[in-house]
């Protein structure tokens, strides 16, 4: 699509009808974040898990996931990097919100996983040791829950999906050792396009309908600033867009002069 285009012919399968009164601004971010959050819950159920661990959890996607899990009674362990993010998610009603910079983070994570019985995680950092720390915590939680054991750890299957690269400049590292996670786990990617294919057309349509119905509640998106196409390509604007800051989201309005 050309950046100068004002109209485009697309398949009706790519469109989402909004309820009466929903504005273009309110519905502008209906696709990626809402459907990714819903897709995480779909994968959890499809793969036989019952609770989730989520990193970078103070993001707008993370806040949506908190609301979904609260509404559906799903255990959720939220991992953030700042104390103000802990308060933000607790203000939404989240029970388990952990600061990864805390000295006793691993102990807190293990306890939260044991309480929720989480066995699947979605990691937006994509680098460093966090994925490994989560896998070890999932194993410890399974053991604490009385899982069947053998010489190679518990028989409970544990899964970590990588779906972002907030820390991708660092190599993904298992430290001190992946052996602590046992031998029944998997590390894989989570990409929305593939997720929707796996979920299937009929279920995807149902999720579209939920997003439309809850676009101003569960899936509400707030914006730091609204910019025009001309403003978007300015060097100073690009620098602000590239900054990794929780709650910083820009809306591009082609009609703004």
């Amino acid at each position: 699509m050309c950046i100068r285009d004002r109209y485009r012919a697309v398949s009706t399968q790519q469109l989402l009808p909004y309820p009466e009164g929903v504005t273009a601004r309110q519905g502008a971010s209906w696709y990626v974040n809402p459907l990714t959050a819903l897709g995480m819950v779909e994968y959890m159920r499809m793969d036989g898990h019952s609770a989730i661990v989520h990193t970078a959890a103070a993001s707008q996607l993370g806040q949506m996931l908190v609301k979904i899990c609260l509404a559906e009674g799903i255990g959720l362990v939220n991992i953030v990097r700042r104390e103000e993010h802990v308060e933000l998610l607790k203000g939404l009603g989240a029970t388990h919100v952990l600061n990864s910079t805390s000295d006793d983070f691993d102990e807190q994570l293990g306890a939260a996983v044991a309480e929720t019985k989480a066995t699947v995680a979605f990691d937006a950092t994509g680098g460093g040791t966090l994925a490994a720390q989560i896998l070890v915590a999932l194993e410890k939680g399974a053991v604490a829950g009385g899982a069947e054991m053998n010489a190679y750890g518990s028989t409970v299957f544990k899964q970590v999906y990588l779906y972002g690269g907030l820390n991708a400049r660092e190599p993904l590292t298992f430290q001190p050792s992946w052996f602590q996670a046992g031998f029944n786990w998997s590390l894989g990617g989570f990409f929305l396009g593939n997720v929707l294919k796996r979920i299937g057309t009929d279920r995807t349509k149902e999720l579209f309908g939920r997003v439309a119905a809850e676009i101003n509640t569960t899936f509400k998106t707030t914006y730091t600033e609204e910019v025009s196409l001309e403003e978007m390509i300015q060097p100073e604007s690009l620098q602000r867009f590239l900054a990794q800051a929780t709650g910083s989201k820009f809306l591009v309005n082609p009609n703004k002069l």
Side-chain angles (χ1 to χ4, degrees):
M1 181 178 180
C2 176
I3 197 170
R4 295 184 299 274
D5 287 350
R6 293 179 63 85
Y7 302 99
R8 185 185 180 197
V10 298
S11 166
T12 57
Q13 300 297 318
Q14 298 174 269
L15 302 177
L16 179 69
Y18 294 133
E20 186 70 28
V22 174
T23 66
R25 179 187 177 93
Q26 291 168 336
S29 297
W30 73 270
Y31 188 74
V32 175
N33 281 351
L35 290 171
T36 298
L38 289 169
M40 291 175 179
V41 174
E42 293 295 308
Y43 263 40
M44 179 203 75
R45 292 190 172 119
M46 293 170 74
D47 293 337
H49 305 285
S50 60
I52 295 170
V53 177
H54 185 224
T55 73
S59 65
Q60 299 213 41
L61 187 157
Q63 294 175 47
M64 293 175 189
L65 186 61
V66 167
K67 296 173 187 176
I68 293 168
C69 290
L70 283 172
E72 301 188 20
I74 298 168
L76 177 64
V77 179
N78 301 276
I79 299 175
V80 298
R81 292 179 290 182
R82 297 179 182 176
E83 206 55 38
E84 57 264 35
H85 296 162
V86 174
E87 298 306 316
L88 171 66
L89 294 186
K90 285 189 174 180
L92 294 177
T95 302
H96 302 284
V97 190
L98 313 179
N99 188 336
S100 61
T101 65
S102 299
D103 293 337
D104 61 344
F105 168 67
D106 288 318
E107 290 75 14
Q108 290 184 45
L109 179 58
V113 166
E115 182 175 339
T116 59
K117 297 180 172 57
T119 48
V120 64
F122 296 89
D123 176 32
T125 66
T129 64
L130 188 53
Q133 289 172 271
I134 293 171
L135 278 171
V136 170
L138 297 180
E139 172 71 356
K140 289 181 177 179
V143 173
E148 181 181 345
M149 301 290 293
N150 57 39
Y152 299 97
S154 79
T155 59
V156 173
F157 178 68
K158 301 160 291 289
Q159 174 74 51
V160 172
Y161 288 104
L162 305 179
Y163 79 97
L166 295 175
N167 197 26
R169 292 183 179 180
E170 291 188 26
L172 193 63
T173 307
F174 278 81
Q175 193 177 29
S177 171
W178 62 268
F179 284 93
Q180 296 180 2
F183 277 70
N184 195 11
W185 54 267
S186 180
L187 185 69
F190 184 86
F191 169 65
L192 181 57
N194 296 334
V195 171
L196 296 182
K197 285 182 180 179
R198 183 184 176 197
I199 291 172
T201 302
D202 291 342
R203 181 57 178 157
T204 296
K205 287 182 179 179
E206 291 176 1
L207 298 183
F208 278 17
R210 178 173 179 181
V211 172
E214 301 176 34
I215 195 66
N216 283 324
T217 53
T218 307
F219 306 109
K220 182 178 180 179
T221 299
T222 58
Y223 300 99
T224 307
E225 187 178 338
E226 184 174 313
V227 298
S228 67
L229 289 174
E230 183 176 352
E231 290 170 330
M232 183 182 73
I233 61 174
Q234 299 305 311
E236 59 272 17
S237 296
L238 294 174
Q239 289 298 318
R240 287 187 294 147
F241 300 158
L242 293 172
Q244 295 179 354
T246 298
S248 180
K249 185 178 286 292
F250 296 83
L251 176 67
V252 179
N253 181 355
N255 297 313
K256 183 183 178 183
L257 299 178

